[in-house]
Amino acid sequence: MRNIAVAGTGYVGLSTGTCFADMGNNVTCIDISEEKIAMLQRGEAPIYEPGLNEMIVRNMKAGRLHFTTSYDEALKDVEFIFICVGTPSGVDGEADLQYVRMAAESVAHAMTHPLIVINKSTVPVGTGDWVADIVRRSQPEPMDFAVVSCPEFTREGSALYDFMNPDRVVIGSRSPEAAEKVAQLHLPLRTRIIMTDLRTAEMIKYASNAFLATKISFINEIAVICEKLGADVQEVAEGMGFDRRIGAQFLNAGLGYGGSCFPKDVKALEHMALVHGSHPALLRAVIDINRDMRRWAVYNLRELLGGKLDGKRIGLMGLAFKPNTDDIREAPALEIAHMLRNEGAHVSGYDPVAMKNVARVDNQMRLSEDAYDLADGADALLVCTEWNEFKQLDLPRLRSLMGNALIVDGRNIYDPAIMAHHGFVYRAVGRAQAGNNGN
Ligand code: UDX
């Protein structure tokens, strides 16, 4: 059992803190938001992550998980503090480090004994050294500490599983003793532990995310070529994926990546490269292709609706950036809604869990009760998120509710032949078209 503090109760901080508590450690999570901490103290997770709420309550009851807004209280007896605060995109695509700075200063003021400060937030290469500098300069009296980089690789929607079953744990530090202690903390996970220097660990995180984003943009580019040449991208991806050098994952063509990590991290890496005088041509192409996939949806809807979106009613199926999360950051649905409205369309949406978040940021979106309510009277539907509940819809019922029965499937969840059989005009990403152009 170790005493651990975690700064930041977003997706990363909460899943990290709760998982370490579940492994038998004593964990205190800190956040500057009193509202979030009050919710957590009542046993309510402020975010939707499958299994998280139950795990929080279980560990609170066992006395291993605590929440506070006070660094003084949280750091009293701890050996480790994980920094898991947000690093949003700044105006130029650079990572905005104001929350990391605040956390580092708070740690420096509150520490009363030697500490290991572990950076889990995705931060530009070199930030570990910068954090060490801030802590050193902000300490009222000099006190020993070490900075370690231990990037997270968990996906929203399966954060708990990913945390407990990682492919690897990366630990970077200038201090071999601190790195060893952080490695010990991860031993129960029985996984490969990669020890590096600070900057290399930080770069492994960016390079991993940029590579996965590249895989997605690559298959999306292939998809668009498939459409022109009459090939099927799903089968192409399957045929490629069996090659172990390529791998089957992250080859799903669609409306592109969104969420809190890929868009921000690829832009931040591009920015770091530019600032240091290199020419990140591949990263730029990845970003461009991703943007183009949002346009792909608008282009296809416009074409199927007779060349004009003005006055058309379009229903968006799924609003979260991916299934099993209520996160709408950089969600394709919201960007596409904006583009459709610019051309005069009326946009409604339905999502099983993200609608509360959507209502907060987009007051023009009409929200529906379910997929059938969304289809009722719609001129076209666009699948934006591949929620399971969309995969087995009652297609004849859906068809009967729609005038035109046009579906653009931005996540390739339906079988073109079945859709044609039920009388839909159906378009998917990188697949043969079924039916004729509508309208
Ligand atoms: C990602 C990384 O996977 C994780 O390691 C990192 O720590 C945080 O960022 P996350 O953003 O939660 O996790 O989601 P992920 O499941 O990786 O999907 C990212 C985006 O890519 C989603 O918008 C998803 O829809 C899209 N995607 C993914 C595709 O378009 N095609 C694919 O084949 C896979």
Side-chain angles (χ1 to χ4, degrees):
M1 197 272 290
R2 303 298 182 129
N3 290 326
I4 299 170
V6 177
T9 60
Y11 286 94
V12 176
L14 261 189
S15 48
T16 301
T18 311
C19 286
F20 273 124
D22 212 52
M23 284 154 65
N25 299 292
N26 187 37
V27 178
T28 304
C29 295
I30 319 157
D31 203 291
I32 51 173
S33 158
E34 292 187 0
E35 192 191 335
K36 272 192 186 176
I37 292 299
M39 275 182 85
L40 286 160
Q41 285 169 340
R42 292 196 298 271
E44 295 165 27
I47 49 164
Y48 174 80
E49 178 65 36
L52 180 62
N53 219 131
E54 296 81 337
M55 208 192 251
I56 289 175
V57 171
R58 187 167 73 235
N59 284 285
M60 283 173 83
K61 280 196 182 137
R64 290 190 297 258
L65 185 59
H66 321 270
F67 299 99
T68 179
T69 53
S70 157
Y71 275 85
D72 290 334
E73 192 185 320
L75 295 192
K76 229 182 286 158
D77 300 311
V78 305
E79 210 179 329
F80 306 95
I81 161 101
F82 282 89
I83 297 188
C84 303
V85 296
T87 51
S89 274
V91 273
D92 268 342
E94 81 283 9
D96 175 351
L97 293 177
Q98 58 167 318
Y99 301 109
V100 177
R101 171 191 283 279
M102 277 162 62
E105 287 171 351
S106 305
V107 170
H109 289 138
M111 65 189 283
T112 51
H113 55 274
L115 268 185
I116 298 177
V117 181
I118 306 159
N119 232 332
K120 234 185 198 325
S121 305
T122 304
V123 288
V125 177
T127 303
D129 293 328
W130 179 74
V131 164
D133 230 43
I134 294 175
V135 175
R136 202 172 301 113
R137 278 192 277 113
S138 314
Q139 281 177 331
E141 303 200 355
M143 197 173 295
D144 258 6
F145 69 94
V147 174
V148 173
S149 164
C150 179
E152 57 85 23
F153 298 101
T154 54
R155 290 162 301 174
E156 285 178 25
S158 48
L160 305 181
Y161 178 86
D162 288 354
F163 188 95
M164 294 297 195
N165 304 277
D167 290 334
R168 79 311 206 179
V169 168
V170 174
I171 296 172
S173 183
R174 290 179 187 279
S175 155
E177 300 79 38
E180 187 52 43
K181 285 188 180 161
V182 177
Q184 301 258 333
L185 210 54
H186 291 86
L187 282 186
L189 299 177
R190 294 169 175 275
T191 187
R192 248 175 252 116
I193 295 186
I194 320 276
M195 303 276 223
T196 72
D197 60 74
L198 257 178
R199 287 172 184 239
T200 304
E202 290 166 345
M203 189 49 144
I204 288 173
K205 168 70 193 215
Y206 276 107
S208 302
N209 272 1
F211 183 79
L212 292 170
T214 303
K215 249 184 135 177
I216 297 169
S217 279
F218 176 83
I219 200 66
N220 281 335
E221 180 144 300
I222 295 291
V224 174
I225 303 173
C226 281
E227 277 170 28
K228 309 277 182 224
L229 301 180
D232 184 312
V233 75
Q234 304 268 93
E235 290 173 28
V236 170
E238 199 186 339
M240 290 168 63
F242 281 115
D243 185 327
R244 271 173 296 171
R245 294 168 302 175
I246 297 174
Q249 292 188 58
F250 282 72
L251 286 180
N252 295 320
L255 300 180
Y257 58 80
S260 65
C261 289
F262 287 177
K264 172 170 76 83
D265 293 351
V266 181
K267 272 188 225 146
L269 187 55
E270 185 217 6
H271 185 265
M272 276 183 263
L274 276 177
V275 168
H276 291 93
S278 59
H279 180 65
L282 180 59
L283 297 176
R284 280 189 186 154
V286 169
I287 296 168
D288 269 2
I289 294 167
N290 202 52
R291 200 177 301 121
D292 284 349
M293 294 317 291
R294 278 45 161 179
R295 295 196 186 113
W296 173 97
V298 176
Y299 171 83
N300 275 282
L301 284 165
R302 192 194 302 116
E303 198 190 49
L304 287 175
L305 287 164
K308 227 167 40 108
L309 289 165
D310 195 25
K312 301 291 185 199
R313 295 180 56 182
I314 295 171
L316 306 181
M317 293 170 66
L319 303 170
F321 84 93
K322 67 171 196 178
N324 300 322
T325 178
D326 65 348
D327 197 337
I328 52 167
R329 284 176 284 179
E330 307 264 349
L334 299 196
E335 292 169 22
I336 292 167
H338 184 74
M339 292 159 130
L340 292 171
R341 281 192 211 114
N342 278 346
E343 297 192 31
H346 305 292
V347 183
S348 1
Y350 164 71
D351 190 281
V353 299
M355 293 206 287
K356 244 198 236 157
N357 286 341
V358 172
R360 254 181 246 138
V361 298
D362 184 342
N363 57 16
Q364 291 184 58
M365 180 95 71
R366 198 191 135 249
L367 297 169
S368 303
E369 275 167 28
D370 56 25
Y372 302 105
D373 182 32
L374 185 74
D376 197 0
D379 293 305
L381 292 176
L382 170 68
V383 180
C384 295
T385 319
E386 64 276 34
W387 283 99
N388 271 339
E389 69 171 62
F390 297 149
K391 293 179 184 166
Q392 297 283 338
L393 289 175
D394 176 347
L395 293 174
R397 180 174 166 208
L398 202 70
R399 166 82 188 82
S400 70
L401 291 164
M402 299 177 70
N404 277 327
L406 302 182
I407 295 196
V408 175
D409 184 353
R411 295 295 177 185
N412 288 358
I413 60 174
Y414 298 119
D415 181 329
I418 293 177
M419 297 309 277
H421 171 76
H422 287 286
F424 287 96
V425 176
Y426 175 74
R427 270 215 190 153
V429 185
R431 310 191 74 183
Q433 290 171 24
N436 297 317
N437 285 0
N439 235 20

